[in-house]
Amino acid sequence: KRKYRVLYRNNEDHEGIYKPLLNKSISTTANTIVTTTIIPTSATTTTTSMIPAPLLPTTTNNNDTTTSKTETEGMDSEEFRKRGKEMVDYIADYLDTIENRRVTPAIEPGYLKDLVPLEAPQRPEQWDDIMKDVEDKIMPGVTHWQHPRFHAYFPSGNSYPSILGDMLSDGLGCIGFSWAASPACTELETIVLDWLGKMVGLPEEFLSFSENSKGGGVIQGSASECVLVSLLAARAHTIRQLKKQHPFVEEGVLLSKMMAYCSKEAHSCVEKAAMMAFVRLRILEPDENQSLRGSTLQQVMEEDRAMGLIPFYVETTLGTTSCCSFDNVAEIGPVCAEYGAWLHVDGAYGGNSFICPELRGPMKGIEYASSFNFNPNKFMLTNFDCSLMWVKDRFRLTQALVVDPLYLQHSFSDKSIDYRHWGIPLSRRFRALKLWFVIRSFGVEGLQRYIREHCRLAKKFEAHVKKEPRFEVASPVHLGLVCFRLRGSNEINQKLLSTINASGKLHMVPASLNDRYVIRFCVCRQTATDADIDYAWNVITEFATNIQDIKTPEIVNKNQLEATKEEKEEAEKEAEENTEDVFKMLDCKNKKSLEFKRSFFVRMVSDPKIYNPKIVRGLPAARDRRHTYTDSSEENNVPVSSPTIDSDIVTELLRQTNLKEVFTDSEDKFKFITKTTSDLSERFLACKPMNHIRRGGEVGQ
Ligand code: PLP
């Protein structure tokens, strides 16, 4: 029995016995943030901080030396039934009362190592003790992604049928790497992937069961894996083709000529995939709506081909991470076809929306794609991990990934699919179950309703922003995401966001669009309501008023709105100069507030390119994101990608008499060296940033 003492904000004091799973120690009133502090009975200090201190046991009994049944068996089925039911209750209670918790945790990095022993227990522990620690030690460090005030990133798919699907998959505990290893795992995956392919309107060539189809779908762990696997497949295919033309040229030499492309707005996983696959990636400028256009791609492919390079892979995004923009696949597709390049379409978030026929516009041109992916674990109520990938030609995919040792072979391989050849891991969970449960429980119509409702609520939020002259919508609103900002400097917007996040009243993350710091507001909760949107807008405007009250002169006033462009620029400059003073005042004002210091949550983000302020600084939107060479890559320990060639080689190249051209693009500080070799009639390209040479003599190729 453990005692606790609770001190409420109104100084009411309460002592009692702790009951696991029914943690009455957190008191709430409707729409109020929890303000209770739990303190051990032994503590003498009283505090009214917003941070629930860990509930520490007042008595411990570790001296019992008898061996119990659980010590030898872990947990038997009888106890599992009991604990399983309790766990279901715990999860349902958690989700029902989630808004009584603070959306982001109010702790500092390393908080847990003071609460959890750094050595594993030698003896079994009681289940009650374990669960008590979940509530007392783990929950204070959890960001509540299903919280109605969570508007960061994209939704994290979650629903009861999906949770039950994963529970059953865990219960079965089978590892379906091949058909023979667990036939139902494979067969259900193939069927459900065909269901979903039809639901989003993919051409028949992508489906397993359509006539004469070479295509099919597979569940991968993440969109990043889908991108990597598609790149590996394209790379292997291109090298095979080139080998036929140049049988005596090394694969490595061929690879050094191959070029992949994506937009500056593509997810950073594309850069990561290129880095891992040892592939050169050219990152292209999208148009003013953050959409990559066919003409841009055509131009760079022509340039590259003229340089002796081989365009072989293009990654496009339908629903970009920063602002949910859509690359123009209808224009890009024919360009890829002309160059024989593999076109991958990443619809991690946006792809889910194509189950609504009226939202399928951006899919135009999908028939040109070699592969396509989207994540039901983002926008289709399915728990992580569940990223779906379809290919038009499954043999091209598996040729890059097949390794077939004797112990994994079986007699049905010619009649069945072995998904181990479709991805990186051998072992695979039974993920199709949760997807099957979700689709059957909601029906296609239920899932369409959910997506349409999120789109409606985003439009409602956009209408709020448009009504307030202090704010602006920063990019066209698509699906459930709105990018907005206070009219004024980047700093004031940064301050607004970090202050809101620090308060724990809402959680949002920023993005950088056209060099401007914008705030992303995403509708995330499964059952989000109009009231959630109104609440969020009230919080945002209240914080904006607080910031602007302190700030003089105001960033935007009526006169400024009517002012000429020059006057506006002048006023913005002045406002920026004043911002620092304002921040100092704010810092002073909030010095004593512990929560205020928690702004590191703003930096707890999934995409370093977009969210890490350091990287954003290093990668202004106007500059090409040549990941190989940015200074910020070094600063942030983002590895500099290969292939690289030694400066000695370049020096030698320069010295040789058959060097044909040397020219410099002074704006980008990149040097292009083109060389015609007498024997191979091929042109080599070496580009290097001047600052790299100066620093380490290192040269990128
Ligand atoms: N692609 C896009 C467009 C994304 O928005 C994201 C993540 O938000 C990813 C890829 C990476 O997704 P995953 O975490 O499944 O690798």
Side-chain angles (χ1 to χ4, degrees), residues 518-543:
V518 304
I519 303 173
R520 291 169 82 267
F521 176 91
C522 192
V523 183
C524 288
R525 193 193 196 186
Q526 179 191 345
T527 53
T529 60
D530 287 274
D532 294 333
I533 302 301
D534 295 341
Y535 173 90
W537 185 242
N538 284 340
V539 170
I540 293 164
T541 46
E542 235 173 70
F543 274 94

PDB file of all heavy atoms in Angstrom, residues 518-543:
ATOM      1  N   VAL A 518       6.736  29.855 -40.552  1.00  0.00           N
ATOM      2  CA  VAL A 518       5.278  29.754 -40.447  1.00  0.00           C
ATOM      3  C   VAL A 518       4.914  28.717 -39.378  1.00  0.00           C
ATOM      4  O   VAL A 518       5.733  27.863 -39.025  1.00  0.00           O
ATOM      5  CB  VAL A 518       4.619  29.361 -41.800  1.00  0.00           C
ATOM      6  CG1 VAL A 518       5.008  30.324 -42.898  1.00  0.00           C
ATOM      7  CG2 VAL A 518       4.969  27.937 -42.190  1.00  0.00           C
ATOM      8  N   ILE A 519       3.712  28.843 -38.880  1.00  0.00           N
ATOM      9  CA  ILE A 519       3.238  27.894 -37.866  1.00  0.00           C
ATOM     10  C   ILE A 519       2.279  26.916 -38.538  1.00  0.00           C
ATOM     11  O   ILE A 519       1.384  27.330 -39.274  1.00  0.00           O
ATOM     12  CB  ILE A 519       2.549  28.642 -36.707  1.00  0.00           C
ATOM     13  CG1 ILE A 519       3.525  29.654 -36.097  1.00  0.00           C
ATOM     14  CG2 ILE A 519       2.033  27.666 -35.652  1.00  0.00           C
ATOM     15  CD1 ILE A 519       2.910  30.567 -35.056  1.00  0.00           C
ATOM     16  N   ARG A 520       2.515  25.644 -38.290  1.00  0.00           N
ATOM     17  CA  ARG A 520       1.648  24.622 -38.879  1.00  0.00           C
ATOM     18  C   ARG A 520       0.559  24.253 -37.870  1.00  0.00           C
ATOM     19  O   ARG A 520       0.863  23.893 -36.740  1.00  0.00           O
ATOM     20  CB  ARG A 520       2.433  23.345 -39.189  1.00  0.00           C
ATOM     21  CG  ARG A 520       3.438  23.416 -40.306  1.00  0.00           C
ATOM     22  CD  ARG A 520       4.311  22.173 -40.320  1.00  0.00           C
ATOM     23  NE  ARG A 520       3.759  21.004 -40.981  1.00  0.00           N
ATOM     24  CZ  ARG A 520       3.086  20.044 -40.374  1.00  0.00           C
ATOM     25  NH1 ARG A 520       2.850  20.092 -39.074  1.00  0.00           N
ATOM     26  NH2 ARG A 520       2.655  18.989 -41.048  1.00  0.00           N
ATOM     27  N   PHE A 521      -0.683  24.330 -38.315  1.00  0.00           N
ATOM     28  CA  PHE A 521      -1.793  23.882 -37.464  1.00  0.00           C
ATOM     29  C   PHE A 521      -2.432  22.703 -38.178  1.00  0.00           C
ATOM     30  O   PHE A 521      -2.981  22.846 -39.266  1.00  0.00           O
ATOM     31  CB  PHE A 521      -2.822  25.006 -37.277  1.00  0.00           C
ATOM     32  CG  PHE A 521      -4.029  24.578 -36.484  1.00  0.00           C
ATOM     33  CD1 PHE A 521      -4.055  24.732 -35.103  1.00  0.00           C
ATOM     34  CD2 PHE A 521      -5.136  24.000 -37.116  1.00  0.00           C
ATOM     35  CE1 PHE A 521      -5.168  24.321 -34.362  1.00  0.00           C
ATOM     36  CE2 PHE A 521      -6.244  23.582 -36.382  1.00  0.00           C
ATOM     37  CZ  PHE A 521      -6.254  23.750 -35.002  1.00  0.00           C
ATOM     38  N   CYS A 522      -2.335  21.529 -37.563  1.00  0.00           N
ATOM     39  CA  CYS A 522      -2.884  20.344 -38.220  1.00  0.00           C
ATOM     40  C   CYS A 522      -4.034  19.780 -37.388  1.00  0.00           C
ATOM     41  O   CYS A 522      -3.934  19.683 -36.164  1.00  0.00           O
ATOM     42  CB  CYS A 522      -1.785  19.290 -38.381  1.00  0.00           C
ATOM     43  SG  CYS A 522      -2.289  17.960 -39.476  1.00  0.00           S
ATOM     44  N   VAL A 523      -5.113  19.461 -38.052  1.00  0.00           N
ATOM     45  CA  VAL A 523      -6.217  18.789 -37.357  1.00  0.00           C
ATOM     46  C   VAL A 523      -5.768  17.343 -37.165  1.00  0.00           C
ATOM     47  O   VAL A 523      -5.478  16.656 -38.146  1.00  0.00           O
ATOM     48  CB  VAL A 523      -7.515  18.846 -38.192  1.00  0.00           C
ATOM     49  CG1 VAL A 523      -8.663  18.201 -37.427  1.00  0.00           C
ATOM     50  CG2 VAL A 523      -7.842  20.277 -38.580  1.00  0.00           C
ATOM     51  N   CYS A 524      -5.666  16.904 -35.940  1.00  0.00           N
ATOM     52  CA  CYS A 524      -5.069  15.584 -35.694  1.00  0.00           C
ATOM     53  C   CYS A 524      -6.007  14.587 -35.022  1.00  0.00           C
ATOM     54  O   CYS A 524      -6.009  13.418 -35.357  1.00  0.00           O
ATOM     55  CB  CYS A 524      -3.816  15.734 -34.829  1.00  0.00           C
ATOM     56  SG  CYS A 524      -2.440  16.477 -35.723  1.00  0.00           S
ATOM     57  N   ARG A 525      -6.787  15.048 -34.074  1.00  0.00           N
ATOM     58  CA  ARG A 525      -7.552  14.090 -33.267  1.00  0.00           C
ATOM     59  C   ARG A 525      -8.620  13.388 -34.109  1.00  0.00           C
ATOM     60  O   ARG A 525      -9.281  14.017 -34.951  1.00  0.00           O
ATOM     61  CB  ARG A 525      -8.222  14.856 -32.125  1.00  0.00           C
ATOM     62  CG  ARG A 525      -8.769  13.955 -31.068  1.00  0.00           C
ATOM     63  CD  ARG A 525      -9.686  14.680 -30.110  1.00  0.00           C
ATOM     64  NE  ARG A 525      -9.877  13.889 -28.911  1.00  0.00           N
ATOM     65  CZ  ARG A 525     -10.714  14.194 -27.947  1.00  0.00           C
ATOM     66  NH1 ARG A 525     -11.415  15.293 -28.029  1.00  0.00           N
ATOM     67  NH2 ARG A 525     -10.837  13.418 -26.902  1.00  0.00           N
ATOM     68  N   GLN A 526      -8.804  12.108 -33.831  1.00  0.00           N
ATOM     69  CA  GLN A 526      -9.803  11.342 -34.588  1.00  0.00           C
ATOM     70  C   GLN A 526     -11.168  12.024 -34.546  1.00  0.00           C
ATOM     71  O   GLN A 526     -11.839  12.171 -35.550  1.00  0.00           O
ATOM     72  CB  GLN A 526      -9.912   9.915 -34.028  1.00  0.00           C
ATOM     73  CG  GLN A 526     -10.948   9.067 -34.757  1.00  0.00           C
ATOM     74  CD  GLN A 526     -11.235   7.743 -34.037  1.00  0.00           C
ATOM     75  OE1 GLN A 526     -10.487   7.329 -33.166  1.00  0.00           O
ATOM     76  NE2 GLN A 526     -12.307   7.090 -34.420  1.00  0.00           N
ATOM     77  N   THR A 527     -11.567  12.449 -33.335  1.00  0.00           N
ATOM     78  CA  THR A 527     -12.912  13.012 -33.176  1.00  0.00           C
ATOM     79  C   THR A 527     -12.855  14.526 -32.984  1.00  0.00           C
ATOM     80  O   THR A 527     -13.598  15.074 -32.176  1.00  0.00           O
ATOM     81  CB  THR A 527     -13.591  12.370 -31.959  1.00  0.00           C
ATOM     82  OG1 THR A 527     -12.686  12.537 -30.834  1.00  0.00           O
ATOM     83  CG2 THR A 527     -13.875  10.909 -32.160  1.00  0.00           C
ATOM     84  N   ALA A 528     -11.967  15.195 -33.707  1.00  0.00           N
ATOM     85  CA  ALA A 528     -11.830  16.660 -33.568  1.00  0.00           C
ATOM     86  C   ALA A 528     -13.174  17.337 -33.840  1.00  0.00           C
ATOM     87  O   ALA A 528     -13.961  16.879 -34.682  1.00  0.00           O
ATOM     88  CB  ALA A 528     -10.778  17.160 -34.548  1.00  0.00           C
ATOM     89  N   THR A 529     -13.424  18.426 -33.100  1.00  0.00           N
ATOM     90  CA  THR A 529     -14.718  19.105 -33.213  1.00  0.00           C
ATOM     91  C   THR A 529     -14.532  20.585 -33.527  1.00  0.00           C
ATOM     92  O   THR A 529     -13.430  21.119 -33.411  1.00  0.00           O
ATOM     93  CB  THR A 529     -15.489  19.029 -31.872  1.00  0.00           C
ATOM     94  OG1 THR A 529     -14.669  19.684 -30.882  1.00  0.00           O
ATOM     95  CG2 THR A 529     -15.754  17.611 -31.451  1.00  0.00           C
ATOM     96  N   ASP A 530     -15.634  21.246 -33.845  1.00  0.00           N
ATOM     97  CA  ASP A 530     -15.612  22.703 -34.047  1.00  0.00           C
ATOM     98  C   ASP A 530     -15.094  23.403 -32.796  1.00  0.00           C
ATOM     99  O   ASP A 530     -14.331  24.373 -32.879  1.00  0.00           O
ATOM    100  CB  ASP A 530     -17.026  23.210 -34.349  1.00  0.00           C
ATOM    101  CG  ASP A 530     -17.454  22.806 -35.745  1.00  0.00           C
ATOM    102  OD1 ASP A 530     -17.127  23.541 -36.696  1.00  0.00           O
ATOM    103  OD2 ASP A 530     -18.084  21.740 -35.882  1.00  0.00           O
ATOM    104  N   ALA A 531     -15.499  22.881 -31.633  1.00  0.00           N
ATOM    105  CA  ALA A 531     -15.094  23.517 -30.367  1.00  0.00           C
ATOM    106  C   ALA A 531     -13.567  23.450 -30.208  1.00  0.00           C
ATOM    107  O   ALA A 531     -12.961  24.398 -29.696  1.00  0.00           O
ATOM    108  CB  ALA A 531     -15.785  22.819 -29.196  1.00  0.00           C
ATOM    109  N   ASP A 532     -12.951  22.357 -30.652  1.00  0.00           N
ATOM    110  CA  ASP A 532     -11.483  22.249 -30.563  1.00  0.00           C
ATOM    111  C   ASP A 532     -10.812  23.336 -31.408  1.00  0.00           C
ATOM    112  O   ASP A 532      -9.798  23.912 -31.018  1.00  0.00           O
ATOM    113  CB  ASP A 532     -10.999  20.871 -31.057  1.00  0.00           C
ATOM    114  CG  ASP A 532     -11.466  19.744 -30.147  1.00  0.00           C
ATOM    115  OD1 ASP A 532     -11.678  19.996 -28.950  1.00  0.00           O
ATOM    116  OD2 ASP A 532     -11.614  18.611 -30.654  1.00  0.00           O
ATOM    117  N   ILE A 533     -11.381  23.594 -32.563  1.00  0.00           N
ATOM    118  CA  ILE A 533     -10.798  24.600 -33.469  1.00  0.00           C
ATOM    119  C   ILE A 533     -10.955  25.995 -32.845  1.00  0.00           C
ATOM    120  O   ILE A 533     -10.019  26.797 -32.823  1.00  0.00           O
ATOM    121  CB  ILE A 533     -11.494  24.538 -34.859  1.00  0.00           C
ATOM    122  CG1 ILE A 533     -11.357  23.142 -35.457  1.00  0.00           C
ATOM    123  CG2 ILE A 533     -10.960  25.613 -35.794  1.00  0.00           C
ATOM    124  CD1 ILE A 533      -9.959  22.636 -35.671  1.00  0.00           C
ATOM    125  N   ASP A 534     -12.147  26.263 -32.320  1.00  0.00           N
ATOM    126  CA  ASP A 534     -12.390  27.584 -31.705  1.00  0.00           C
ATOM    127  C   ASP A 534     -11.481  27.783 -30.498  1.00  0.00           C
ATOM    128  O   ASP A 534     -10.924  28.855 -30.295  1.00  0.00           O
ATOM    129  CB  ASP A 534     -13.867  27.705 -31.266  1.00  0.00           C
ATOM    130  CG  ASP A 534     -14.798  27.682 -32.461  1.00  0.00           C
ATOM    131  OD1 ASP A 534     -14.310  27.937 -33.587  1.00  0.00           O
ATOM    132  OD2 ASP A 534     -15.998  27.379 -32.289  1.00  0.00           O
ATOM    133  N   TYR A 535     -11.338  26.723 -29.706  1.00  0.00           N
ATOM    134  CA  TYR A 535     -10.475  26.811 -28.524  1.00  0.00           C
ATOM    135  C   TYR A 535      -9.044  27.153 -28.954  1.00  0.00           C
ATOM    136  O   TYR A 535      -8.416  28.058 -28.413  1.00  0.00           O
ATOM    137  CB  TYR A 535     -10.500  25.482 -27.756  1.00  0.00           C
ATOM    138  CG  TYR A 535      -9.495  25.437 -26.610  1.00  0.00           C
ATOM    139  CD1 TYR A 535      -9.857  25.854 -25.325  1.00  0.00           C
ATOM    140  CD2 TYR A 535      -8.184  25.007 -26.824  1.00  0.00           C
ATOM    141  CE1 TYR A 535      -8.924  25.837 -24.286  1.00  0.00           C
ATOM    142  CE2 TYR A 535      -7.247  24.993 -25.803  1.00  0.00           C
ATOM    143  CZ  TYR A 535      -7.619  25.399 -24.529  1.00  0.00           C
ATOM    144  OH  TYR A 535      -6.698  25.396 -23.516  1.00  0.00           O
ATOM    145  N   ALA A 536      -8.555  26.417 -29.959  1.00  0.00           N
ATOM    146  CA  ALA A 536      -7.171  26.635 -30.412  1.00  0.00           C
ATOM    147  C   ALA A 536      -6.998  28.071 -30.888  1.00  0.00           C
ATOM    148  O   ALA A 536      -6.010  28.736 -30.566  1.00  0.00           O
ATOM    149  CB  ALA A 536      -6.827  25.658 -31.535  1.00  0.00           C
ATOM    150  N   TRP A 537      -7.986  28.551 -31.649  1.00  0.00           N
ATOM    151  CA  TRP A 537      -7.848  29.909 -32.183  1.00  0.00           C
ATOM    152  C   TRP A 537      -7.839  30.946 -31.048  1.00  0.00           C
ATOM    153  O   TRP A 537      -7.093  31.923 -31.083  1.00  0.00           O
ATOM    154  CB  TRP A 537      -8.959  30.186 -33.208  1.00  0.00           C
ATOM    155  CG  TRP A 537      -8.760  31.526 -33.851  1.00  0.00           C
ATOM    156  CD1 TRP A 537      -9.593  32.598 -33.795  1.00  0.00           C
ATOM    157  CD2 TRP A 537      -7.621  31.941 -34.632  1.00  0.00           C
ATOM    158  NE1 TRP A 537      -9.046  33.653 -34.474  1.00  0.00           N
ATOM    159  CE2 TRP A 537      -7.839  33.279 -35.010  1.00  0.00           C
ATOM    160  CE3 TRP A 537      -6.445  31.314 -35.040  1.00  0.00           C
ATOM    161  CZ2 TRP A 537      -6.915  34.002 -35.767  1.00  0.00           C
ATOM    162  CZ3 TRP A 537      -5.528  32.025 -35.791  1.00  0.00           C
ATOM    163  CH2 TRP A 537      -5.767  33.354 -36.144  1.00  0.00           C
ATOM    164  N   ASN A 538      -8.667  30.712 -30.044  1.00  0.00           N
ATOM    165  CA  ASN A 538      -8.680  31.635 -28.890  1.00  0.00           C
ATOM    166  C   ASN A 538      -7.330  31.668 -28.204  1.00  0.00           C
ATOM    167  O   ASN A 538      -6.827  32.732 -27.850  1.00  0.00           O
ATOM    168  CB  ASN A 538      -9.752  31.215 -27.871  1.00  0.00           C
ATOM    169  CG  ASN A 538     -11.125  31.588 -28.366  1.00  0.00           C
ATOM    170  OD1 ASN A 538     -11.244  32.452 -29.243  1.00  0.00           O
ATOM    171  ND2 ASN A 538     -12.156  30.921 -27.854  1.00  0.00           N
ATOM    172  N   VAL A 539      -6.734  30.484 -28.008  1.00  0.00           N
ATOM    173  CA  VAL A 539      -5.422  30.433 -27.355  1.00  0.00           C
ATOM    174  C   VAL A 539      -4.401  31.209 -28.196  1.00  0.00           C
ATOM    175  O   VAL A 539      -3.643  32.041 -27.683  1.00  0.00           O
ATOM    176  CB  VAL A 539      -4.957  28.962 -27.176  1.00  0.00           C
ATOM    177  CG1 VAL A 539      -3.504  28.897 -26.721  1.00  0.00           C
ATOM    178  CG2 VAL A 539      -5.854  28.242 -26.175  1.00  0.00           C
ATOM    179  N   ILE A 540      -4.415  30.957 -29.497  1.00  0.00           N
ATOM    180  CA  ILE A 540      -3.423  31.597 -30.384  1.00  0.00           C
ATOM    181  C   ILE A 540      -3.574  33.122 -30.341  1.00  0.00           C
ATOM    182  O   ILE A 540      -2.594  33.859 -30.189  1.00  0.00           O
ATOM    183  CB  ILE A 540      -3.567  31.052 -31.826  1.00  0.00           C
ATOM    184  CG1 ILE A 540      -3.157  29.573 -31.868  1.00  0.00           C
ATOM    185  CG2 ILE A 540      -2.736  31.863 -32.812  1.00  0.00           C
ATOM    186  CD1 ILE A 540      -3.605  28.814 -33.103  1.00  0.00           C
ATOM    187  N   THR A 541      -4.788  33.592 -30.459  1.00  0.00           N
ATOM    188  CA  THR A 541      -4.982  35.058 -30.500  1.00  0.00           C
ATOM    189  C   THR A 541      -4.653  35.692 -29.145  1.00  0.00           C
ATOM    190  O   THR A 541      -4.108  36.787 -29.083  1.00  0.00           O
ATOM    191  CB  THR A 541      -6.418  35.430 -30.927  1.00  0.00           C
ATOM    192  OG1 THR A 541      -7.330  34.620 -30.198  1.00  0.00           O
ATOM    193  CG2 THR A 541      -6.622  35.208 -32.401  1.00  0.00           C
ATOM    194  N   GLU A 542      -4.974  34.983 -28.075  1.00  0.00           N
ATOM    195  CA  GLU A 542      -4.652  35.507 -26.738  1.00  0.00           C
ATOM    196  C   GLU A 542      -3.142  35.686 -26.574  1.00  0.00           C
ATOM    197  O   GLU A 542      -2.670  36.728 -26.131  1.00  0.00           O
ATOM    198  CB  GLU A 542      -5.126  34.507 -25.693  1.00  0.00           C
ATOM    199  CG  GLU A 542      -6.061  35.111 -24.657  1.00  0.00           C
ATOM    200  CD  GLU A 542      -6.603  34.003 -23.765  1.00  0.00           C
ATOM    201  OE1 GLU A 542      -5.817  33.454 -22.988  1.00  0.00           O
ATOM    202  OE2 GLU A 542      -7.809  33.685 -23.899  1.00  0.00           O
ATOM    203  N   PHE A 543      -2.399  34.648 -26.966  1.00  0.00           N
ATOM    204  CA  PHE A 543      -0.934  34.735 -26.853  1.00  0.00           C
ATOM    205  C   PHE A 543      -0.384  35.817 -27.779  1.00  0.00           C
ATOM    206  O   PHE A 543       0.554  36.532 -27.421  1.00  0.00           O
ATOM    207  CB  PHE A 543      -0.280  33.379 -27.151  1.00  0.00           C
ATOM    208  CG  PHE A 543      -0.209  32.494 -25.940  1.00  0.00           C
ATOM    209  CD1 PHE A 543      -1.196  31.560 -25.674  1.00  0.00           C
ATOM    210  CD2 PHE A 543       0.837  32.610 -25.037  1.00  0.00           C
ATOM    211  CE1 PHE A 543      -1.153  30.754 -24.548  1.00  0.00           C
ATOM    212  CE2 PHE A 543       0.898  31.810 -23.909  1.00  0.00           C
ATOM    213  CZ  PHE A 543      -0.102  30.877 -23.657  1.00  0.00           C
TER     214      PHE A 543
END
